[in-house]
Amino acid sequence: MEIPIGVDEENQPVNLNLTMVNRHGLIAGATGTGKTVTMQKMAEAFSRAGISIFTTDVKGDLSGIAYPARMNPKLEQRIKTLAIKNYTPRGCPVEFWDVYGKLGHPLRTTISEMGPLLLARLLELNPTQQGVLNSAFKIADEQGLLILDLKDLESLFILMKANATQLQNKYGNMSSSTIGAIQRGIFTLASRGGDIFFGEPAFRLNDLMQKDSSGFGKINILDATSLINDGLLYSTFLLWLLSELFDKMPEVGDLDQPKLVFFFDEAHLLFNSAPKPLLDKIEQLVRLIRSKGIGVFFITQNPIDVPESILGQLGNRVQHALRGFTPKDQKSIKAAAQTFRQNKNLKAETIISELGVGEALVSFLDAKGIPSIVSQAKIFPPESRMGAITATERESLIQQSPLQDFYQKGVDRESAFEILNKRNTSPGALEPRHKKSQSSNRQSRNNRRQTPAEAVLVSTARSVGTQLGRQIIRGILGSIFKKK
């Protein structure tokens, strides 16, 4: 099945093959050239094909996809110019999410589920501090401590600081200065919103895969108008979600169409400061996640924002205009033009800087997975509203959602913080390791996030890692620590 995205210079349709969407894609272009509208057009087309969507709303103008387009002279002229038949204004089924819980359902996770690697990135730890954090997850295992939120993590490090000498023989030196630096990082993360989005009820991945009564895939929109101000938190949170999808989704091979399309907007934030080992794991994640029926589209200003090893895996390309004001800009334009399969009748390097708003150079994979020759296309306008909805409209959709009752109130059950405060001995004392803990772990694995033993397995799996090619318990990213 193919979905129409626009028309080329000869008014021939430019179609995206749904079978090839899990080969991933790229939407690039300078600010104001039409990237968001292209993403909106793709998202609504995927939705109507029954595919679920996850995307972020960085500027606040994607929320209009929930309502029908408003006809106006400019839109009417666009429809006429592109000779669009049967244009029907209509909205899409939407779920709104917000890690801060203000403009959508709270999108929470737990410390144990995020694991030490991505948590270390959030805390901006050096290698020594990362090693201590990794040990903290193992100590939580031995002590039967469930680490759900930041106050649990704070309590764990108080325990470690009070017992540093006792722990040194097994885990190596844990200096007060190193633990203190981690504690300061936890405090800073709390002030950035960590005390809100670390906790329960944790996000259920199946809630991304919903359809409405018409069989249309729901479009899950994470409000990022505030989150984007913290680029590290934004990119790490999305990377965590992508790795969770890889971990939890079953292997399905190549389907007629994907189950989910994940749009990663402002993708340059993911790669800006990522160390080489993390980039290697992101590359592996992108390559392997297609077998889970998931397509990933990176959205950024320039293709060179994406590492070449990952860019090579993005088979479907939409390149909006780039502006060449400086020698560096001109070099970027040349590099972007060279990423396409060349068309002898079209000078891509020249045209990129001449494209108007809503125009793009396009190359999609055909049914055999071969990139099409690049063509200049005019992108169809969405049938949904372009621009932001009102606060009243948003609140109405949130309140009508069947997910609202589950996510609206946080849950604070007994975990490390409560357990350590209730001990009869000094709150900083270690408990002896129970011999039955490992068998209890195995018996309780099927009860997700229900016992300390569950979190123990999660933590250990993340810190030890697994071999590629086998089922990954907690996500591909965890194996970096083992290699270090």
Side-chain angles (χ1 to χ4, degrees):
M1 179 179 175
E2 294 183 331
I3 56 173
I5 298 300
V7 293
D8 63 18
E9 288 294 280
E10 298 179 355
N11 287 323
Q12 295 300 308
V14 175
N15 297 326
L16 179 56
N17 192 312
L18 290 182
T19 307
M20 292 293 126
V21 171
N22 71 338
R23 304 292 180 91
H24 313 313
L26 175 74
I27 302 173
T31 301
T33 57
K35 296 192 300 296
T36 300
V37 174
T38 296
M39 177 178 67
Q40 182 170 338
K41 178 61 185 175
M42 284 187 176
E44 68 176 24
F46 292 149
S47 172
R48 286 164 193 154
I51 301 169
S52 301
I53 309 297
F54 177 87
T55 185
T56 56
D57 190 2
V58 172
K59 295 177 289 185
D61 56 357
L62 187 60
S63 56
I65 199 170
Y67 287 90
R70 290 171 171 167
M71 299 303 297
N72 57 62
K74 183 177 180 180
L75 177 56
E76 291 172 351
Q77 182 59 46
R78 183 77 172 175
I79 294 169
K80 182 179 180 180
T81 299
L82 300 183
I84 302 173
K85 299 179 180 179
N86 302 318
Y87 181 90
T88 305
R90 48 184 172 164
C92 298
V94 167
E95 292 288 355
F96 290 109
W97 302 90
D98 182 2
V99 297
Y100 302 116
K102 295 178 180 179
L103 298 175
H105 309 305
L107 202 164
R108 306 181 186 93
T109 187
T110 66
I111 296 292
S112 290
E113 289 193 328
M114 178 157 282
L117 175 63
L118 293 183
L119 186 60
R121 187 172 190 250
L122 279 180
L123 297 173
E124 301 184 79
L125 304 183
N126 64 34
T128 299
Q129 294 160 354
Q130 289 179 29
V132 173
L133 179 65
N134 197 43
S135 296
F137 277 71
K138 296 179 181 179
I139 292 167
D141 176 356
E142 295 184 353
Q143 294 294 305
L145 298 174
L146 188 61
I147 310 299
L148 300 177
D149 52 30
L150 288 183
K151 68 178 187 295
D152 291 327
L153 193 61
E154 290 169 352
S155 298
L156 178 60
F157 276 99
I158 291 173
L159 178 74
M160 292 169 61
K161 199 168 190 177
N163 296 274
T165 301
Q166 182 180 345
L167 294 169
Q168 182 174 343
N169 291 335
K170 184 172 183 179
Y171 296 102
N173 185 42
M174 296 183 183
S175 68
S176 295
S177 60
T178 297
I179 293 179
I182 297 173
Q183 290 174 314
R184 289 191 294 274
I186 294 171
F187 176 80
T188 301
L189 180 57
S191 69
R192 291 158 58 195
D195 54 345
I196 298 174
F197 57 78
F198 281 119
E200 294 185 313
F203 178 63
R204 303 176 303 193
L205 287 179
N206 284 341
D207 289 336
L208 286 184
M209 311 295 173
Q210 304 303 310
K211 297 183 181 182
D212 70 359
S213 58
S214 300
F216 291 174
K218 284 201 172 182
I219 299 176
N220 298 274
I221 300 177
L222 176 65
D223 182 85
T225 51
S226 297
L227 184 61
I228 195 64
N229 295 323
D230 189 334
L232 182 62
L233 180 57
Y234 169 85
S235 60
T236 303
F237 204 87
L238 291 188
L239 182 55
W240 162 77
L241 182 55
L242 197 58
S243 64
E244 284 289 284
L245 286 165
F246 174 81
D247 171 25
K248 300 289 180 55
M249 295 284 285
E251 293 276 348
V252 294
D254 289 325
L255 303 173
D256 290 338
Q257 62 184 47
K259 291 183 175 181
L260 175 75
V261 176
F262 192 109
F263 288 98
F264 203 127
D265 202 359
E266 299 295 338
H268 67 282
L269 295 174
L270 175 61
F271 306 113
N272 272 353
S273 58
K276 180 64 163 59
L278 181 57
L279 288 177
D280 290 342
K281 290 305 172 185
I282 295 172
E283 178 188 349
Q284 292 174 323
L285 179 61
V286 172
R287 184 173 69 251
L288 296 175
I289 202 169
R290 56 172 285 199
S291 66
K292 305 298 183 89
I294 297 172
V296 182
F297 277 74
F298 291 103
I299 304 169
T300 190
Q301 291 199 15
N302 198 303
I304 64 173
D305 295 335
V306 181
E308 191 170 335
S309 60
I310 296 173
L311 188 64
Q313 298 182 53
L314 311 182
N316 300 294
R317 307 279 183 88
V318 179
Q319 176 66 63
H320 289 278
L322 292 173
R323 307 307 180 197
F325 300 115
T326 68
K328 183 178 179 181
D329 293 337
Q330 294 168 3
K331 184 178 180 180
S332 297
I333 291 173
K334 183 177 181 179
Q338 292 174 343
T339 64
F340 289 102
R341 182 182 172 191
Q342 296 301 304
N343 182 341
K344 64 180 182 180
N345 298 320
L346 186 152
K347 295 182 179 179
E349 186 174 336
T350 301
I351 291 176
I352 286 180
S353 59
E354 299 174 350
L355 294 167
V357 176
E359 295 182 335
L361 294 181
V362 176
S363 175
F364 294 144
L365 297 177
D366 64 19
K368 296 181 179 180
I370 301 172
S372 64
I373 294 174
V374 63
S375 63
Q376 183 176 349
K378 293 181 174 65
I379 306 300
F380 287 150
E383 295 178 329
S384 53
R385 186 190 305 178
M386 289 179 278
I389 59 178
T390 66
T392 301
E393 289 172 326
R394 180 189 290 268
E395 185 62 24
S396 175
L397 290 171
I398 293 172
Q399 293 299 326
Q400 293 172 23
S401 169
L403 302 179
Q404 175 68 352
D405 287 343
F406 179 79
Y407 286 106
Q408 65 176 336
K409 292 184 179 180
V411 176
D412 189 13
R413 60 192 173 99
E414 185 175 78
S415 50
F417 175 79
E418 290 79 12
I419 291 172
L420 291 174
N421 281 327
K422 287 169 63 176
R423 282 184 178 174
N424 293 327
T425 56
S426 168
L430 288 170
E431 287 284 314
R433 185 173 184 178
H434 299 290
K435 293 181 179 179
K436 294 182 179 180
S437 64
Q438 296 304 317
S439 62
S440 298
N441 287 344
R442 289 191 292 269
Q443 292 170 5
S444 63
R445 283 186 64 184
N446 292 330
N447 190 7
R448 186 173 183 266
R449 297 195 305 273
Q450 294 302 306
T451 68
E454 167 93 26
V456 165
L457 282 175
V458 169
S459 303
T460 305
R462 280 194 183 276
S463 60
V464 174
T466 57
Q467 293 180 347
L468 291 174
R470 301 176 62 189
Q471 182 177 3
I472 300 175
I473 297 174
R474 248 308 170 238
I476 190 172
L477 300 172
S479 63
I480 289 178
F481 275 104
K482 183 174 180 181
K483 291 186 176 180
K484 285 186 176 180

